[in-house]
Each structure stands twice: as structure tokens, then as C-alpha cells.
Amino acid sequence: MLDNHVRPTYNDIHNLIKDISEKIAAEFAPDLLIAIGTVLVLYALTRTSGFFPARVMRTYLKDPSTKRNIPIHAIGLSLYESLPGTTEEQVGNEVIRTQWLGPESKILLGRRALIIDEVDDSRQTLHYAISELQKDVERELQALPESERDAARTRFAVFVVHNKLKPKVKDLPIDIPYYTGAEVPDVWLDYPWEGNEHDRLATLAKSK
């Protein structure tokens, strides 16, 4: 780590998720996964972020009532990318929504939804995701008879592959279960699904 970079492999991440999945199943038992990524189809911009971890997590978690695979839904959020239409002041300071559940928000009602991302850095993205999803749930609940609302409330939890041990800009609600695969210092994390790191690993594999 001489260059202040940590380069976890696919196998490292797979094992971290495998190790924490049993705890998540026992304590939270999610029946819906929400992966955070950056998605801007019009401009062909995609970033895996929580998509790969969510897919691996689904390998180890099954719906507690049906024992079938848990559905994965995606939301697109960007904090550090410079996107079309954003200003320099927004990059790193404001979470930009690039994809959302839209009319599908009602699928959250009555579910135990696990929100998944690759890293908890400043906590801004996670804070935004939970706050906005909770607003969606409250809006949908208002359409139900008051007697049905408590049973239809959504429970949320968070899983990140890595949590950086650093002061956070935002907080999460204290009643939201929080799970992490590993805690790391405030270093650069080069994930294997990122372009440059993917190319480096491919070149390294060819040389062996």
C-alpha cells in the first residue's frame, strides 16, 4: 500500500460478502436488494458500485419466506463523477440522481430492503438514498387506509463492502441496521470492476 491504494480482488470481495451474509440473514432477513450505482444510459455512463456486490450477496441470501432468489433493484446516484449538466461546485458536494425506482416505489411497501454499495466514504450517498427512499415509502403509505399503514412500512438496512474509518459528512438513522464487509483506513480503493484496475488485472493474468 505504498501508493495509498488498496486493490481488493474479486475473490477478496466475494469472501467478505460470504462471511457477512449469514449475519445479515439472521438479523435482518432481507427480501429485496437495492443496489446503488451510477447509471446514465443516454451518455453511456455506467459504474458498477453496488451492482456486483448485490449480485454476490444474492448468491448467499434467499427470500426467507419463499427460499427463492431475492430481487435486485437499481438506483443511480453520483457524487464524484462530473456528469453532463452538473457544475464544478456540485461534484463532490451534491448527490445527483441518475436513475430511480419511479413508479416502482410501491414495491417497497411491506418489504425488508437491503441497500448495497461498494464503499462508505463520506456517507453522503447512503444518507441521500435512505432519505429519498423513505420519502417514497411515506408517500405510498398515504395512499393506504390508516389502519394498513403500520403493516406496510418498509424496513431498511445498509450493507457496504468497505467502510472507511474517517469522519462522515452525513449520518444514518439510528434505527437502520448497518453492515460492512471490512473497515479500512482512509485510502483509495481500486475495485476490480473499475476500468483501469480491470485492465491491470487482465494484463497481470496474461503475464502469468
Side-chain angles (χ1 to χ4, degrees):
M1 200 175 64
L2 296 178
D3 58 356
N4 204 39
H5 284 241
V6 172
R7 299 177 175 86
T9 65
Y10 279 110
N11 194 53
D12 293 334
I13 294 163
H14 195 105
N15 287 333
L16 286 176
I17 295 171
K18 179 181 179 182
D19 290 344
I20 196 66
S21 63
E22 186 174 343
K23 179 179 176 68
I24 294 174
E27 295 181 356
F28 185 68
D31 56 11
L32 183 73
L33 305 180
I34 300 176
I36 298 177
T38 300
V39 182
L40 201 61
V41 176
L42 180 62
Y43 295 93
L45 171 64
T46 60
R47 184 175 177 183
T48 302
S49 300
F51 297 164
F52 177 80
R55 178 60 189 87
V56 176
M57 183 66 76
R58 192 172 75 159
T59 300
Y60 298 106
L61 295 181
K62 301 300 177 185
D63 186 294
S65 59
T66 66
K67 307 304 180 184
R68 295 180 178 178
N69 285 335
I70 298 174
I72 300 174
H73 292 265
I75 57 176
L77 300 175
S78 175
L79 178 61
Y80 296 110
E81 285 88 0
S82 179
L83 303 176
T86 60
T87 65
E88 289 186 9
E89 290 75 18
Q90 287 176 298
V91 176
N93 295 304
E94 181 180 343
V95 177
I96 304 299
R97 184 188 297 198
T98 60
Q99 176 178 308
W100 203 250
L101 299 178
E104 298 181 24
S105 294
K106 62 180 59 178
I107 65 171
L108 296 173
L109 294 183
R111 308 299 287 266
R112 295 180 303 280
L114 181 65
I115 300 169
I116 299 177
D117 204 356
E118 59 188 9
V119 62
D120 182 358
D121 188 350
S122 67
R123 199 160 283 176
Q124 286 174 269
T125 302
L126 288 170
H127 173 85
Y128 180 94
I130 291 174
S131 298
E132 294 300 305
L133 288 168
Q134 287 179 326
K135 289 178 187 177
D136 288 347
V137 169
E138 288 302 316
R139 185 177 61 251
E140 296 295 341
L141 288 174
Q142 294 307 309
L144 297 178
E146 188 172 353
S147 61
E148 299 178 11
R149 292 175 189 172
D150 284 344
R153 290 193 181 279
T154 307
R155 292 183 59 201
F156 290 104
V158 168
F159 167 71
V160 293
V161 178
H162 294 104
N163 173 41
K164 289 188 180 181
L165 298 175
K166 59 184 287 188
K168 307 298 185 182
V169 175
K170 297 287 187 179
D171 294 321
L172 300 180
I174 60 174
D175 61 338
I176 300 290
Y178 179 90
Y179 302 95
T180 181
E183 295 189 326
V184 296
D186 186 14
V187 296
W188 287 100
L189 288 159
D190 296 334
Y191 288 104
W193 45 78
E194 295 175 352
N196 291 339
E197 182 63 7
H198 184 275
D199 293 344
R200 186 188 72 83
L201 290 173
T203 301
L204 183 63
K206 289 179 181 179
S207 68
K208 292 183 178 179

